[in-house]
Amino acid sequence: MYINATGFYIPEERVPNEYYTKKTGLTDEWIVQRTGIKTRSRARADENMNTMSVDAVKNTLPSLPYDIKEVDLIISSTYSPFDTVGTAAHVVQNKFGIENAKAFTMSSACSSFINALEIIEGYFAMGKAHKALIVGGDKNTAYNNEDDPKSGHLWGDAAIAFFFSDERITDDDHEVLDIYTEALGCMGKGPEGIQLRPRDGGIRMPEGKDVFIQACTYMPKNALRLLEKRGLTFDDLSYFIGHQANLRILKNIANNINLPEEKVLSNIEELGNTGSASCALVFAQNIAKFKKEDLVCISVFGGGYSAGACLIKI
C-alpha cells in the first residue's frame, strides 16, 4: 500500500491565548504550560468539513501522479460532519467527477485517519479497490464551547487529503508498511472521556487527566508493537508523530522512550488540536523534510477511547 500524494487545508485565522483570557480567565502562560498551545486555527462561518475537504483535495492535485477520476474508494474520516447524509466523501466525489468510487464517512474520533487507512488496506486486500482517497479533519469550532475552562481553548480546524494505491505508481510514493488499530471503550473513562453533544455543551474533554494518562500509555505502546514486529526499536525511527492533543503528552512520550526532540514532529503550538486531521496534517506539512528510506511512525489516540499506529517508509 502506497501514499501517492498528500495535501491539506488550514483556515487562515489564528486565535491567540489572550482571547481565552477574556473568556475564562486562563492566562497565556497557564495555557502554554499545560497544553503547549499558543494559537489555534479557526474556520470561517461559511466553511465546514465539506468545503475544507474540497480545498484539501485541490491542494493535493498538483502532486497527484494520475487522474483523480481513477480513484475507486473515498473515505471521509471525521467526527464533525457538516451533513450526515450527503457526506464530505460524496461532496468530493461530486465536485471532482469521481463517478466510479465507493464513498462513505467513518469516525473513531481523533483516531479516524488510522482507522480509515486500515479500511483501505482491507479493500485493497480484497481487490475491491485499487486507488483510494481519505479526506479527513474537523471543524471543531462549530461545536466548541469557548467558555469551558477545561477544554474550550484546545480546538483548531483543518482538513487533509491523502491518495493511496495498492501498487507503487512512482519512485516518490511512500510505502505504508503496517497498520494497527484498537478500540479502548473499556479503558479508563472510556466513552465519557471526550464528548461531542451539540445540545449539551458541544465538544468537551471533562476527563482530561484520564485522557492524558491513556494517551501517554497507548501511543508509544502501539508504535513499539509495530516496530518490534519488524525487529526494530525506537532508535530506528526517523520521526515520530503523535496525536496533537497536548504538547506535554508528546514530550512525556519522547522522554519515556528516549526519543530526541528533533525526531518528534508537531504543529499543536500554532494550530491546536485539529482532531481527525492532526497526525496526518503534521505528516503532510513536513513532507519536504523527509528523505528517502526515512521511517516515520504515526501513533494516535482518540475519544471512545480509540488508538492506533502506522509505519511509513519514505
Side-chain angles (χ1 to χ4, degrees), residues 248-262:
R248 286 172 57 226
I249 292 176
L250 300 177
K251 289 184 176 181
N252 180 282
I253 292 172
N255 181 64
N256 287 340
I257 63 178
N258 296 314
L259 204 61
E261 186 175 324
E262 60 270 19

Side-chain angles (χ1 to χ4, degrees), residues 35-217:
T35 70
I37 301 172
K38 295 182 178 179
T39 62
R40 64 284 293 149
S41 52
R42 176 190 278 171
R44 302 188 310 268
D46 63 340
E47 292 180 312
N48 53 61
M49 189 54 207
N50 293 355
T51 66
M52 293 196 298
S53 295
V54 168
D55 287 336
V57 172
K58 288 178 179 177
N59 177 254
T60 315
L61 288 181
S63 62
L64 185 65
Y66 46 81
D67 190 331
I68 192 172
K69 292 179 174 61
E70 294 180 30
V71 168
D72 49 15
L73 175 62
I74 308 169
I75 304 176
S76 171
S77 58
T78 179
Y79 54 76
S80 60
F82 174 69
D83 186 340
T84 56
V85 179
T87 73
H90 297 85
V91 170
V92 166
Q93 181 186 34
N94 176 276
K95 179 71 175 179
F96 297 97
I98 313 172
E99 295 183 359
N100 298 312
K102 301 171 180 66
F104 56 87
T105 287
M106 58 74 57
S107 175
S108 57
C110 296
S111 301
S112 295
F113 176 78
I114 299 296
N115 278 99
L117 201 60
E118 193 171 52
I119 291 170
I120 291 173
E121 181 184 44
Y123 269 85
F124 284 177
M126 292 184 292
K128 291 190 173 184
H130 302 282
K131 291 186 175 73
L133 164 62
I134 296 176
V135 285
D138 287 293
K139 185 180 179 180
N140 286 301
T141 58
Y143 299 99
N144 189 21
N145 177 1
E146 295 180 335
D147 296 317
D148 174 17
K150 285 190 174 182
S151 61
H153 52 281
L154 298 178
W155 313 105
D157 304 327
I160 56 90
F162 275 55
F163 288 83
F164 302 87
S165 61
D166 58 352
E167 295 181 348
R168 183 179 289 277
I169 304 294
T170 74
D171 290 339
D172 294 326
D173 289 347
H174 313 304
E175 185 177 5
V176 180
L177 299 176
D178 208 347
I179 308 162
Y180 175 80
T181 68
E182 60 183 341
L184 299 167
C186 297
M187 299 301 299
K189 300 297 182 179
E192 294 301 309
I194 308 168
Q195 306 163 357
L196 200 168
R197 295 169 182 160
R199 296 183 180 181
D200 183 21
I203 184 170
R204 298 186 300 179
M205 193 182 297
E207 303 293 346
K209 183 177 180 180
D210 191 61
V211 172
F212 187 98
I213 292 170
Q214 305 299 341
C216 286
T217 299

Side-chain angles (χ1 to χ4, degrees), residues 20-35:
Y20 293 94
T21 302
K22 298 175 184 177
K23 286 280 186 180
T24 62
L26 302 178
T27 65
D28 172 70
E29 181 183 12
W30 189 95
I31 295 173
V32 171
Q33 184 181 40
R34 285 163 178 78
T35 70

